[in-house]
């Protein structure tokens, strides 16, 4: 695929009313599972004037010369930086509207608000890397995606990060199985919505599912699995800090879950949004089909919306730790 043909394909998508860029494809992988081959973004993530010309140079099948790749990456990062400014204006407008009693925040607006707060922090090292390293900055940014704002993360980087996170989750999954085994619990208990709701009723496992009674070791396990704290911060954080950060994350997830259900978006999320939503909930996403991810996310949101408070999401979190890549069934 040439850069010119990719542009034509995007323009055709826009005429059909599809607001993703670039085009999303699904690649067959061994075991009849699928993985996403392109990065997709919502219309709000790319400024209107740049949607037709923004190409992710990391897309599989995109044939570019070396100079063509350099120009494509430069354009990708330039439009990504512009989008941060656009998102800032959007956030201010939404907050002003909500504060004056206007229309409540949509799910897309919530995501822009959350991403923008993180992007403002990452923008400083991102720009400094470009200014200081100049020609070498591209190599550094590609190797260290944590330096990039979300609007400047390529598909290749996103999938690479997801694979690393899933590998970490698999190790923590094994630790979680040992933890529940020590309490006399079976993994099957976490796989049914009916029994999942009763977890914590017995004195033996009460501390595992009562938010205020979580031990520091359990908090470290849960926070690391959910991506709340990283490899360095997790072992040095206090129990109070881990508990506070986990609660904040669960409150955000519950708000996001309610909007996903209200707007009936689980089956409609663009592929990148679907992957992000699953990663935030501890659902592995790098090597699973779109259908599997939608099923797991739908299972999570169904259980989550029945919880009165964010703390009540804790059994659902443990179900992800124990089940790893399996969804909770309605039984």
């Amino acid at each position: 695929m040439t850069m010119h043909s990719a542009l034509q394909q995007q323009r055709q998508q826009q005429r059909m009313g599809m607001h993703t860029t670039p085009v999303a494809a699904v690649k067959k992988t061994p075991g009849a599972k699928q993985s996403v081959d392109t990065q997709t973004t919502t219309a709000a993530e790319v400024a209107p004037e740049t949607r037709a010309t923004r190409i992710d140079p990391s897309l599989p099948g995109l044939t570019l010369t070396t100079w063509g790749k350099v120009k494509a990456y430069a354009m990708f990062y330039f439009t990504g930086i512009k989008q941060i400014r656009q998102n800032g204006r959007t956030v201010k407008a939404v907050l002003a509207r909500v504060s004056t009693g206007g229309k409540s925040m949509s799910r897309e607006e919530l995501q822009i608000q959350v991403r923008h707060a993180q992007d403002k922090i990452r923008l400083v090292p991102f720009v400094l890397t470009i200014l200081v390293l100049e020609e070498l900055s591209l190599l550094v940014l590609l190797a260290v995606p944590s330096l990039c704002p979300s609007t400047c993360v390529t598909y290749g980087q996103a999938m690479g990060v997801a694979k690393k996170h899933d590998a970490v989750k698999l190790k923590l999954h094994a630790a979680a199985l040992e933890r529940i085994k020590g309490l006399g619990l079976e993994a099957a208990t976490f796989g049914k919505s009916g029994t999942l709701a009763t977890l914590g009723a017995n004195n033996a496992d009460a501390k595992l599912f009562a938010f205020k009674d979580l031990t520091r070791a359990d908090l470290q396990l849960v926070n690391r699995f959910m991506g709340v704290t990283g490899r360095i911060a997790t072992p040095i954080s206090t129990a109070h800090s881990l508990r506070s950060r986990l609660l904040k994350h669960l409150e955000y997830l519950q708000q996001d879950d309610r909007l996903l259900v209200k707007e009936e978006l689980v089956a409609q999320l663009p592929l990148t949004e679907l992957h992000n939503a699953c990663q935030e909930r501890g659902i592995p996403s790098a090597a699973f089909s779109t259908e599997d991810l939608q099923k797991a996310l739908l299972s999570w949101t169904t259980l989550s919306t029945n919880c009165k408070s964010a703390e009540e999401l804790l059994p659902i979190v443990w179900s992800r730790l124990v089940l790893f890549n399996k969804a909770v069934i309605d039984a």
Side-chain angles (χ1 to χ4, degrees):
M1 179 186 295
T2 64
M3 193 169 186
H4 176 69
S5 61
L7 290 174
Q8 287 183 325
Q9 196 173 23
Q10 287 183 339
R11 294 190 183 104
Q12 184 179 4
Q13 262 199 313
Q14 291 174 351
R15 288 195 294 269
M16 295 173 63
M18 299 172 66
H19 299 291
T20 58
T21 180
V23 180
V26 177
K27 177 183 178 182
K28 291 283 186 178
T29 57
K33 291 184 178 179
Q34 300 171 340
S35 60
V36 181
D37 253 2
T38 62
Q39 182 182 19
T40 61
T41 58
T42 61
E45 288 181 293
V46 183
E49 66 273 13
T50 64
R51 288 180 200 150
T53 58
R54 196 173 197 232
I55 296 292
D56 184 340
S58 70
L59 294 179
L62 187 62
T63 304
L64 295 172
T65 63
T66 301
W67 178 238
K69 285 186 178 181
V70 172
K71 291 192 294 182
Y73 273 110
M75 178 59 70
F76 186 82
Y77 289 142
F78 175 71
T79 54
I81 293 175
K82 287 180 63 178
Q83 187 58 40
I84 296 176
R85 183 179 180 184
Q86 175 69 22
N87 288 349
R89 292 196 291 264
T90 300
V91 170
K92 289 182 180 179
V94 170
L95 292 177
R97 184 191 72 213
V98 173
S99 64
T100 55
K103 182 181 177 182
S104 59
M105 190 179 299
S106 68
R107 200 263 173 177
E108 184 177 15
E109 290 168 343
L110 173 64
Q111 289 300 307
I112 291 176
Q113 182 184 32
V114 171
R115 283 194 298 266
H116 185 64
Q118 300 167 346
D119 288 345
K120 288 192 297 183
I121 298 174
R122 291 186 175 187
L123 185 60
V124 175
F126 177 78
V127 173
L128 286 177
T129 300
I130 294 175
L131 293 177
V132 174
L133 299 181
E134 297 180 345
E135 292 86 353
L136 295 176
S137 61
L138 178 59
L139 297 176
V140 175
L141 293 174
L142 290 176
V144 189
S146 59
L147 290 173
C148 303
S150 65
T151 56
C152 297
V153 175
T154 67
Y155 163 76
Q157 287 175 307
M159 293 306 296
V161 170
K163 289 178 182 178
K164 290 180 181 179
H165 287 176
D166 287 356
V168 172
K169 286 183 174 68
L170 186 58
K171 295 179 181 179
L172 297 173
H173 161 65
L177 290 177
E178 289 296 320
R179 181 72 173 96
I180 66 168
K181 183 179 179 181
L183 295 173
L185 294 172
E186 297 181 358
T189 307
F190 294 79
K192 298 179 181 179
S193 58
T195 55
L196 188 62
T198 63
L199 290 176
N202 301 320
N203 291 332
D205 55 41
K207 288 187 177 181
L208 197 65
F209 306 106
F211 195 85
K212 60 183 179 62
D213 294 329
L214 280 175
T215 65
R216 183 169 180 267
D218 288 336
L219 284 167
Q220 289 177 327
L221 181 61
V222 173
N223 279 32
R224 188 80 170 92
F225 186 86
M226 297 296 287
V228 178
T229 52
R231 177 173 55 88
I232 297 176
T234 301
I236 63 175
S237 298
T238 64
H240 175 74
S241 174
L242 292 169
R243 200 184 315 274
S244 297
R245 296 183 67 174
L246 178 60
L247 180 59
K248 184 178 180 181
H249 184 66
L250 294 181
E251 288 173 343
Y252 152 68
L253 289 182
Q254 189 172 46
Q255 182 184 6
D256 193 46
D257 291 339
R258 289 171 177 169
L259 290 172
L260 282 169
V261 172
K262 178 182 178 182
E263 300 175 25
E264 300 180 347
L265 292 176
V266 172
Q268 303 176 35
L269 287 178
L271 291 172
T272 298
E273 289 288 336
L274 178 61
H275 277 253
N276 289 341
C278 287
Q279 285 289 330
E280 289 176 336
R281 290 158 177 79
I283 303 171
S285 67
F288 298 93
S289 69
T290 300
E291 184 181 356
D292 289 337
L293 297 181
Q294 289 175 339
K295 181 181 178 181
L297 182 57
L298 181 61
S299 173
W300 173 288
T301 56
T302 301
L303 293 168
S304 170
T305 50
N306 290 325
C307 297
K308 296 180 180 179
S309 67
E311 294 183 5
E312 293 182 15
L313 267 65
L314 194 55
I316 310 175
V317 173
W318 276 105
S319 76
R320 292 268 42 92
L321 270 155
V322 173
L323 300 175
F324 187 58
N325 61 346
K326 299 182 181 67
V328 177
I329 62 174
D330 189 12

